[in-house]
Amino acid sequence: MTYDVSAILFDEEKIEKRISDLAACICKDFESKTPVMISVLKGSFIFLADLVRSLTIPVEIDFLAVSSYGNSTVSSGVVSIKKDLDVDVTGRDVIIVEDIVDSGLSLKYITEYVKKHGAASVSTCVLLDKPEAHKDNIKIDYLGFEIGNDFVVGYGLDYAEKYRNLPYVAVLKEEIYK
Ligand code: IMP
Ligand code: MG
């Protein structure tokens, strides 16, 4: 697996440090509240697991699955719900936890979806952002790192369901998907 990546962008130590900073901000902003953390499957499962264990406030956790990529590295731009929420978010403070924002269409869709279900507030917590790829105005409240337009894998992120278990975030060699 490690032969398929060209560069490691963020190693375990860097990620851990950044997550503890994000967690501190979330704890401060949601002091005396119990937000619902909604993890967008599958890419954010490791980020969520590390993030919530750094939080000292009570939280509830739920999962949402959307599709827009299939086995491609380019977003289809069409988003649909594959696994719906279990928690009733009416009147709740919601924090959407996403692995990466590329075009931003998924996050935009999910934010609107949660608002439509009556959430009192909707915040977004994203590990990686590709600002050059945004196709719309995207609001990220808690961001791990900005990156360029490379396709990255590891720490939950996949290419065709592989590489999620790499403990770091790395650039996938172009020859793997071209
Ligand atoms: P968007 O809707 O174009 O912002 O795409 C967001 C989703 O596409 C993310 O939640 C990821 O699951 C996936 N994605 C986008 N860029 C990458 C990447 O570089 N590596 C792995 N998955 C990606
Ligand atoms: Mg995702």
Side-chain angles (χ1 to χ4, degrees):
M1 270 198 312
T2 53
Y3 297 118
D4 295 347
V5 305
S6 56
I8 294 178
L9 296 184
F10 309 107
D11 62 15
E12 291 167 87
E13 200 184 325
K14 263 205 185 125
I15 295 171
E16 190 187 313
K17 170 80 186 63
R18 190 70 194 114
I19 288 182
S20 79
D21 293 345
L22 294 179
C25 292
I26 291 173
C27 287
K28 188 165 154 272
D29 295 349
F30 290 86
E31 200 190 340
S32 73
K33 293 186 170 162
T34 304
V36 183
M37 315 279 294
I38 296 180
S39 161
V40 184
L41 292 173
K42 302 175 193 169
S44 70
F45 79 109
I46 294 178
F47 179 38
L48 175 89
D50 283 344
L51 181 66
V52 294
R53 284 179 294 173
S54 300
L55 296 174
T56 51
I57 53 165
V59 294
E60 288 178 30
I61 293 168
D62 201 2
F63 298 93
L64 185 70
V66 298
S67 73
S68 76
Y69 270 53
N71 279 350
S72 161
T73 58
V74 184
S75 175
S76 66
V78 181
V79 186
S80 63
I81 302 279
K82 290 207 302 187
K83 188 234 160 266
D84 209 343
L85 296 171
D86 294 320
V87 171
D88 180 5
V89 295
T90 311
R92 303 296 305 272
D93 296 304
V94 171
I95 303 174
I96 297 165
V97 180
E98 177 64 301
D99 55 353
I100 187 165
V101 169
D102 186 19
S103 70
L105 297 173
S106 308
L107 191 64
K108 188 130 199 156
Y109 179 89
I110 295 163
T111 305
E112 289 308 315
Y113 184 80
V114 172
K115 279 187 187 154
K116 210 175 67 191
H117 281 75
S121 71
V122 184
S123 307
T124 56
C125 180
V126 173
L127 180 67
L128 303 165
D129 183 30
K130 299 182 186 176
E132 291 158 35
H134 289 188
K135 294 217 172 95
D136 211 325
N137 247 344
I138 310 299
K139 180 179 84 86
I140 301 175
D141 299 293
Y142 306 96
L143 173 65
F145 308 98
E146 274 188 8
I147 62 171
N149 268 343
D150 297 311
F151 194 83
V152 295
V153 293
Y155 197 73
L157 290 98
D158 75 310
Y159 170 63
E161 294 303 328
K162 271 177 75 186
Y163 311 106
R164 292 193 197 276
N165 57 319
L166 290 173
Y168 46 76
V169 174
V171 178
L172 188 64
K173 282 185 182 161
E174 279 194 16
E175 66 218 50
I176 306 292
Y177 59 90
K178 283 260 155 85

